[in-house]
Amino acid sequence: MTENNSPGVRLRAAVNAERPLQVVGVINAYGALLAERADFRALYLSGAGVANASFGLPDLGLTTLTEVVEEVRRIVAVTDLPLLVDADTGWGDDLMIAHTVETLSRAGAAGLHLEDQEQGKRCGHRPGKTLVSIEEMRARVAAAVRGRRDEQFVIMARTDAYSLEGLEAAVARAQGYVEAGADMIFAEALSSLEEYRHFTQAVKVPVLANMTEFGRTPLLTVQELGEAGVRLVLYPLSAFRAMSAAALQVYQTLRREGTQQSLIEQMQTREELYEILGYYDYERQRDARPSKEKKS
């Protein structure tokens, strides 16, 4: 049964309202508040983001569904923006994939993407990837559809086939995944605007382009991708990379100079933090509570 304003409904509405839809990655609830402040309409939780930021681990499928769900709950608790979640390969067989969909939906996610790599997955922009057969991935997609309790929850299928099998094979896989029930397609690691144009013309559902930095895909603009038919543009870890570089600079400066004085102009102020968090509203609510009567 579908709720009129479920997260999946909101994500689909955003895809239709903004063409292409910019989807920005957040690593935690505070990041979601910042992205909302910047007027994004949709958020993304990266598997790499959870592994890197929360556990200090590489993006090699080392985190679990339970760990990702906890981050989902924290993010959706502070924002109504729809959240697309990286579900890697689904954390198991078909039964587990259906459970993954149901669990993420109950946690408040708007949708997920599953990829066609083998269980021992790698970053999509690294060498050494291996793929499951198109039949196995179609079975994954079908299992995800079976696990859906809200028919508007988005099932996105990611294909990593381009870098291993070529463009036409990636297109054929994507078409097969759509036939199996995928609502949208994540075309990983394409290398040119012309390839995106060819892909979107051949695949008749919304296609996502991953504009991750330092990868195999050039950093194309929203306008360029929109003109090529792309419907979603993803920036999975842009803010995390910038935050990490800034944090390292702060730590090094503190260690070297023994003071943060030279960094103050680069910092968010206490007042800015309080304004984003709504700190004073919380404080007023606490101050408005009746005082406890003194014990006689």
Side-chain angles (χ1 to χ4, degrees):
M1 188 173 185
T2 303
E3 298 177 21
N4 290 333
N5 194 34
S6 70
V9 168
R10 297 199 300 275
L11 178 55
R12 291 170 188 267
V15 171
N16 288 327
E18 183 179 309
R19 298 196 177 204
L21 175 67
Q22 289 183 294
V23 184
V24 68
V26 298
I27 60 166
N28 53 31
Y30 186 64
L33 292 175
L34 295 175
E36 185 174 51
R37 182 61 57 96
D39 293 328
F40 282 94
R41 295 188 180 188
L43 305 176
Y44 177 73
L45 181 62
S46 160
V50 174
N52 301 166
S54 296
F55 295 94
L57 292 171
D59 181 26
L60 290 169
L62 300 175
T63 51
T64 67
L65 171 60
T66 301
E67 290 163 345
V68 171
V69 165
E70 183 58 35
E71 298 296 342
V72 171
R73 290 195 179 106
R74 290 170 179 168
I75 290 167
V76 302
V78 301
T79 180
D80 288 329
L81 293 180
L83 179 67
L84 176 66
V85 178
D86 180 356
D88 287 342
T89 57
W91 291 290
D93 61 11
D94 292 358
L95 202 61
M96 184 62 192
I97 289 170
H99 175 65
T100 292
V101 170
E102 183 175 1
T103 302
L104 287 173
S105 180
R106 289 184 185 277
L112 58 71
H113 68 76
L114 295 167
E115 59 199 63
D116 54 8
Q117 289 194 49
E118 292 187 352
Q119 292 289 345
K121 62 145 289 180
R122 294 173 182 259
C123 168
H125 292 256
R126 293 286 302 154
K129 298 185 294 185
T130 53
L131 306 181
V132 298
S133 68
I134 188 170
E135 292 78 15
E136 182 171 342
M137 182 60 182
R138 283 170 57 98
R140 287 180 182 176
V141 173
V145 172
R146 288 196 301 274
R148 188 161 55 184
R149 296 297 175 265
D150 171 6
E151 64 266 27
Q152 295 301 306
F153 183 88
V154 173
I155 306 296
M156 180 182 287
R158 170 177 140 177
T159 180
D160 284 72
Y162 168 77
S163 57
L164 294 172
E165 300 176 348
L167 181 61
E168 293 304 331
V171 167
R173 279 178 172 266
Q175 291 169 334
Y177 305 161
V178 172
E179 291 173 359
D183 302 303
M184 302 180 190
I185 292 292
F186 184 142
E188 180 67 307
L190 301 192
S191 62
S192 72
L193 201 58
E194 291 70 27
E195 288 170 346
Y196 278 113
R197 184 174 291 109
H198 178 78
F199 202 101
T200 61
Q201 289 173 350
V203 177
K204 303 306 180 184
V205 298
V207 172
L208 178 147
N210 183 12
M211 292 295 103
T212 188
E213 302 82 14
F214 315 112
R216 296 186 175 188
T217 304
L219 299 182
L220 303 165
T221 69
V222 169
Q223 182 176 348
E224 289 172 330
L225 290 165
E227 290 172 354
V230 169
R231 294 288 302 280
L232 302 95
V233 182
L234 176 64
Y235 312 92
L237 291 169
S238 303
F240 172 63
R241 289 193 172 102
M243 292 159 60
S244 298
L248 181 59
Q249 181 187 3
V250 168
Y251 296 143
Q252 290 172 335
T253 301
L254 286 170
R255 191 66 171 159
R256 182 177 63 252
E257 299 179 6
T259 175
Q260 67 270 57
Q261 191 61 47
S262 66
L263 299 166
I264 291 297
E265 292 300 318
Q266 302 173 39
M267 293 185 180
Q268 181 188 59
T269 67
R270 184 186 299 271
E271 194 62 30
E272 289 167 340
L273 172 67
Y274 283 3
E275 198 273 329
I276 289 169
L277 294 174
Y279 178 90
Y280 295 116
D281 289 335
Y282 283 99
E283 199 172 61
R284 280 191 288 271
Q285 292 175 44
R286 173 160 291 173
D287 291 344
R289 290 168 56 190
S291 300
K292 293 181 180 179
E293 293 183 3
K294 294 182 180 180
K295 294 183 180 179
S296 56

